Amino acid sequence: RHEQVLEAMGEGYMLFDKDLNFLGVNAYALRLYGMRREELLGKNFLQAFGITEEHPLVRLFRPVVQTGQPVQQ
């Protein structure tokens, strides 16, 4: 049931493993990035978007997946 809620919400949702491989992504995020689900699931975030570890998004996501703690802003 929680998958249905995540899929229907009006915000982008992406789920990664500790190595930043995609485990899930909702329709809003797919529309936002102009990608298809099969282009992302099982793929690495860096490779999918053609970025490096130094990219600001990776620097934001890395501590979250390592600690499980949300971003504090």
Side-chain angles (χ1 to χ4, degrees):
R1 174 170 170 156
H2 65 278
E3 289 93 1
Q4 292 172 332
V5 172
L6 293 172
E7 187 63 29
M9 70 182 190
E11 294 183 18
Y13 166 81
M14 294 182 216
L15 177 65
F16 305 101
D17 67 12
K18 65 180 178 63
D19 297 316
L20 292 179
N21 296 313
F22 280 94
L23 299 177
V25 59
N26 72 354
Y28 188 95
L30 293 170
R31 284 191 307 274
L32 183 67
Y33 294 107
M35 302 181 96
R36 296 185 323 268
R37 198 173 310 270
E38 57 272 10
E39 290 178 278
L40 298 178
L41 292 182
K43 305 281 185 340
N44 184 271
F45 178 77
L46 281 71
Q47 294 170 335
F49 287 95
I51 59 177
T52 68
E53 285 283 340
E54 299 306 314
H55 191 279
L57 282 177
V58 177
R59 295 178 74 153
L60 181 69
F61 291 160
R62 184 66 71 191
V64 174
V65 297
Q66 289 174 342
T67 67
Q69 298 299 310
V71 173
Q72 300 293 319
Q73 291 190 358

